[in-house]
């Protein structure tokens, strides 16, 4: 499935202006859930056989695309960094709250 997704992005979605929503890709390739879809994207990003980078951005105007330049690369890395920081913040809050003995666990 990764090869099919990657090939489609290379053919139709090079550059931010040609991005496609994740849901549209899921529909195109009959992927039923977001977790499975994201695992395919993650595999492509991590596998050295796929040398072009996949950009992504969340939100109404977001989507997935093949990165075409340094600006798009920076945009994606910054977006991923912000998401990671938010998850780290949430994790710290939950750890702090979880130490409260009144939680019942």
């Amino acid at each position: 499935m990764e090869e099919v997704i990657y090939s489609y992005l290379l053919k139709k979605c090079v550059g931010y202006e040609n991005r496609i929503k994740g849901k549209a890709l899921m529909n195109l390739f009959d992927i039923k859930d977001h977790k499975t879809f994201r695992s395919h994207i993650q595999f492509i990003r991590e596998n050295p056989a796929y040398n072009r980078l996949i950009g992504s951005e969340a939100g109404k105007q977001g989507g997935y695309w093949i990165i075409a330049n340094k600006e798009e690369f920076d945009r994606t890395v910054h977006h991923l960094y912000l998401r990671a920081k938010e998850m780290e913040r949430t994790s710290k809050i939950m750890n702090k709250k979880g130490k409260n003995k009144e939680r019942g666990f």
Side-chain angles (χ1 to χ4, degrees):
M1 179 58 68
E2 288 87 3
E3 181 62 38
V4 175
I5 294 169
Y6 182 73
S7 294
Y8 180 86
L9 291 172
L10 279 175
K11 185 176 180 183
K12 302 277 189 177
C13 304
V14 175
Y16 180 79
E17 68 279 358
N18 296 309
R19 66 197 176 281
I20 184 171
K21 298 297 287 179
K23 187 67 174 166
L25 283 169
M26 290 172 63
N27 290 337
L28 276 172
F29 301 112
D30 198 31
I31 299 169
K32 301 296 182 199
D33 64 275
H34 290 280
K35 184 177 180 180
T36 299
F37 172 71
R38 286 190 306 271
S39 73
H40 291 310
I41 296 297
Q42 191 67 25
F43 180 86
I44 295 167
R45 283 179 166 163
E46 293 176 357
N47 189 321
Y50 301 103
N51 63 344
R52 297 292 302 271
L53 301 173
I54 296 177
S56 63
E57 190 172 86
K60 278 188 172 183
Q61 302 304 314
Y64 293 88
W65 70 94
I66 297 293
I67 293 174
N69 56 49
K70 176 85 165 84
E71 180 183 323
E72 292 177 5
F73 172 80
D74 290 344
R75 177 185 207 131
T76 297
V77 170
H78 181 69
H79 173 73
L80 293 172
Y81 173 78
L82 292 177
R83 288 181 59 209
K85 291 300 284 182
E86 180 63 25
M87 285 186 245
E88 179 184 39
R89 187 180 79 74
T90 301
S91 173
K92 285 179 181 179
I93 291 168
M94 290 190 66
N95 275 321
K96 185 176 179 180
K97 288 174 79 174
K99 290 179 182 173
N100 183 340
K101 301 289 184 200
E102 297 173 13
R103 298 264 175 233
F105 55 86

